[in-house]
Structure formats: structure tokens, C-alpha cells
Amino acid sequence: MLKSLFNWKVLLNLLVAIAVFVGLVWLTFRWLEYHTKHGQETPVPNVVNKSVYDAVKILEDAGLEYSVDSATYDPKYRAFQVLKMSPFAGSHVKDGRAIELRVNPRTWAPVAIPDVINKYSGLAFQRITQVGLKVGDTIFEPSIQKDAILRVLFKGNAVKPGTLIPRFSTIDVVVGSGPMRNISIPNVVGLTVKEARGVIARSMFEVGLVEHEDGSKDESDIIYYQDPASGDVRDQGMQMDLWASKKTPAELSAKIEQLNSIYRMKVDTSLPPVRYEEVPNYQSAPEPVPVAPAPVQRTEPAKAEPKPATTKPAVSATENRAKASAGSSANTGSNNKTQATGTAQQPAQKPKAKKVVVE
């Protein structure tokens, strides 16, 4: 057994096998060095703050690959300016290594217009501001949806929700100002149903019931009756009911009379004449207020004291007449004076004392 192991043929085969294994290992490492370019490194040039076009040319000349990605727009830097690179400038990389470049975009990143159609304008403005857009002009348009957003305009054109536009762009909104009042009803009798729909929409009304005489839904049927009638006035957004048929109005005269009896009823709004009678306005005189009578002060006449009888000398008749005339004039003057003062003040008059003349 041991003798056979040390046979020269066995030893020769073993040495050959070891040589083959070592050769394969050496070739494998050589192939890896060649494939991975082991020991061959290239310094990374500095391309920060250069334009992306100049940076790409420099990297291609250095034998390096590159990938470009946009960062958040910063208005402090130029458009397409390289803001950052990885690996950093000055590091060594193998040939063919991709260098990542972060470039400032040309403008803000696009944002989607929020769905604010038919929403209340106050909440819609808040939502538009939150996504980074600005509200420009507010255009009011008659609509039954008062204070609701009807359309969104960007650069004068209507845009749908979800449309991408640059961030911080200015958009205009169309807001409903409420329905218009007293709009004349258009005449659509004689038109097709399709044509009538267009006329009603342009007149800012809505199509209500559409009844086809034969039960079909053919848009080419002719309108032979409408409610409300043409010439009436209604508010914007009111519905118009239509009756359509393929027959002529003469053939549908009975149907038209029946519809008139239902929708064209005459209501007597006249009132009987009113007679107005004037009612004398009596003003009752105010009742006299009872006044308590003033207390009457009674004054007793002064009693004349009797005078002692005296013996007077005889007076002649001529002297008596002179005294009588003088006394009457004095009494007349005193009476006039009393009447003048009595008219002004009217004091309580006292009874005069009787004058007794004793001859």
C-alpha cells in the first residue's frame, strides 16, 4: 500500500494537478484585475457651479460616466447650474465610474391643479394656495351656483383639475355671481330636440322634461309645445319642459289644446271696485274741569255813629244850590276814578257808608 503511494507515476500526477490548480487561480485573478481595472483610478474633476453642459463635457473627457438629477428649484442660482456632485471633487475613482450631478432646474417643479370646480370659493382659494399656486383675477359670471368656482383659467385658457403647471404660477378663477333675474323665455317650437337644447343652454336655462309623442328618444323630433311659453320671464337656471313629435302641429291640435288647458290656465286676478267712504272725524270738546267756587268774603257795612245835634246857622237857598252842584261834581270824578281802577284790578268793592246830613 505505502509502496504504491510513493510510485513515481502517482507523484507525477499529483504535481501536475497542483500546477493546474495554481495556474487556474492565477489566471482568475489576472482576469479580475483586468476586468475591474484594479490599480487604475482617475481623479474626479470639480464641476460644481458649472453649467450642466460644461460639466458633462469635462467628465466625458476624463473618461467618467455621469448621471444628472434635478434638485428643488432655487431662484438664487442659475438655471441648469450644478449644485452638488457625488463622489466629491478630488477623490479617485476607476475608469467608467458614474458621477452623480444635482442640477438646479430651469423653473419650479410642476404641480397639479387641485379639483376645486363647484367648490365654495373661500375653501377653493385656500386649497389653491396650499399647493403652491397663486390666485390672480376673480371673474364673476351669472350662475345659479353662487360663490362657487365654475372654471379655472391658466394664461387665458380653461384647464382641467390635475393639469401640471409650474409651481407658483398665477391662475384665474371664474366664480358664480348668482342667477340672473327676469330672463325672457326663448321660443323653441318648431326646432328639433337637439337644436332646442342648444338654444335653451345659451339662454341660461335648463332642459327639464322631454316627452316624445311616440315614446321614443329621437333627438330629431320637432318641438310642438313648451312650458313656460315663449316671452315669459323666469330666473336663470329654471327648467323648460318640451313636447316633441314627428307629426305636424295640425295633427296635434287636440293635444295642444289639452296642454293649454293644463299649462295655460287663465287666472282671474281682477278685484271688484272698492268704494271708499269718508268718515267725519269728530273731535269731542274737552270736558270742562270743575273749579271750586272762590269763598265770598262778606263785609258788614260800617255803622254810622250818631252825632250830637248841633245848631247850625240858617243857610240861604243860593248857598244850598252851590253846595249841591259842587258835591255832584265831586261824586262824578270819584266814580270815574273808581271805574278806571276797577277795570284794571277790579278789587272787591265795599259798601259805602251812608251819609247822614242833619240840618
Side-chain angles (χ1 to χ4, degrees), residues 278-343:
E278 295 184 359
V279 179
N281 185 11
Y282 293 102
Q283 295 182 356
S284 58
E287 296 181 358
V289 179
V291 181
V296 180
Q297 298 180 358
R298 296 181 178 181
T299 56
E300 296 180 357
K303 296 181 180 181
E305 295 180 358
K307 294 183 179 181
T310 55
T311 303
K312 291 185 177 181
V315 181
S316 62
T318 304
E319 291 179 357
N320 288 337
R321 289 193 194 97
K323 287 180 180 180
S325 61
S328 62
S329 62
N331 291 335
T332 303
S334 61
N335 289 337
N336 294 335
K337 191 174 185 180
T338 304
Q339 290 178 358
T341 55
T343 304

Side-chain angles (χ1 to χ4, degrees), residues 149-160:
I149 302 297
L150 303 180
R151 293 187 303 278
V152 177
L153 305 177
F154 178 62
K155 295 182 178 180
N157 299 320
V159 291
K160 297 180 179 179

Side-chain angles (χ1 to χ4, degrees), residues 56-313:
V56 168
K57 185 177 180 180
I58 293 173
L59 294 177
E60 288 179 348
D61 294 341
L64 299 174
E65 300 293 335
Y66 59 86
S67 63
V68 179
D69 189 11
S70 61
T72 303
Y73 176 72
D74 192 342
K76 296 186 297 184
Y77 300 100
R78 303 188 310 272
F80 304 118
Q81 180 180 348
V82 178
L83 304 178
K84 189 184 298 184
M85 60 183 299
S86 179
F88 299 105
S91 58
H92 291 74
V93 297
K94 296 178 181 180
D95 293 342
R97 169 71 182 275
I99 308 299
E100 298 179 1
L101 303 178
R102 299 298 296 271
V103 180
N104 189 39
R106 181 173 56 185
T107 183
W108 296 100
V111 295
I113 296 178
D115 187 6
V116 294
I117 303 299
N118 299 329
K119 301 294 191 302
Y120 175 64
S121 58
L123 299 177
F125 291 166
Q126 183 179 2
R127 179 59 180 157
I128 292 172
T129 305
Q130 288 176 351
V131 299
L133 299 176
K134 298 179 181 179
V135 179
D137 295 334
T138 302
I139 305 170
F140 290 93
E141 182 177 290
S143 174
I144 58 176
Q145 296 176 301
K146 184 176 175 61
D147 295 332
I149 302 297
L150 303 180
R151 293 187 303 278
V152 177
L153 305 177
F154 178 62
K155 295 182 178 180
N157 299 320
V159 291
K160 297 180 179 179
T163 304
L164 297 177
I165 59 176
R167 192 180 181 186
F168 298 115
S169 297
T170 300
I171 60 176
D172 303 327
V173 293
V174 180
V175 182
S177 61
M180 294 181 64
R181 306 293 182 182
N182 300 329
I183 304 176
S184 179
I185 299 292
N187 185 14
V188 296
V189 175
L191 303 179
T192 63
V193 176
K194 184 177 181 180
E195 293 172 345
R197 291 183 186 274
V199 173
I200 293 172
R202 287 192 295 271
S203 300
M204 293 180 290
F205 293 105
E206 295 183 2
V207 178
L209 171 68
V210 180
E211 182 176 338
H212 295 264
E213 191 267 337
D214 55 359
S216 64
K217 296 184 178 179
D218 191 358
E219 293 289 314
S220 63
D221 288 356
I222 304 300
I223 304 296
Y224 68 89
Y225 195 82
Q226 69 177 59
D227 181 64
S230 62
D232 292 350
V233 290
R234 295 290 188 274
D235 294 342
Q236 177 187 358
M238 297 293 292
Q239 292 185 349
M240 292 180 57
D241 298 334
L242 306 175
W243 285 260
S245 175
K246 292 181 173 62
K247 299 180 181 179
T248 62
E251 297 174 340
L252 298 169
S253 58
K255 180 66 174 178
I256 294 175
E257 291 295 333
Q258 181 183 0
L259 292 174
N260 282 331
S261 63
I262 298 174
Y263 297 101
R264 303 289 190 270
M265 294 178 60
K266 294 184 179 180
V267 180
D268 186 9
T269 59
S270 61
L271 297 176
V274 180
R275 295 181 61 186
Y276 295 95
E277 295 181 0
E278 295 184 359
V279 179
N281 185 11
Y282 293 102
Q283 295 182 356
S284 58
E287 296 181 358
V289 179
V291 181
V296 180
Q297 298 180 358
R298 296 181 178 181
T299 56
E300 296 180 357
K303 296 181 180 181
E305 295 180 358
K307 294 183 179 181
T310 55
T311 303
K312 291 185 177 181

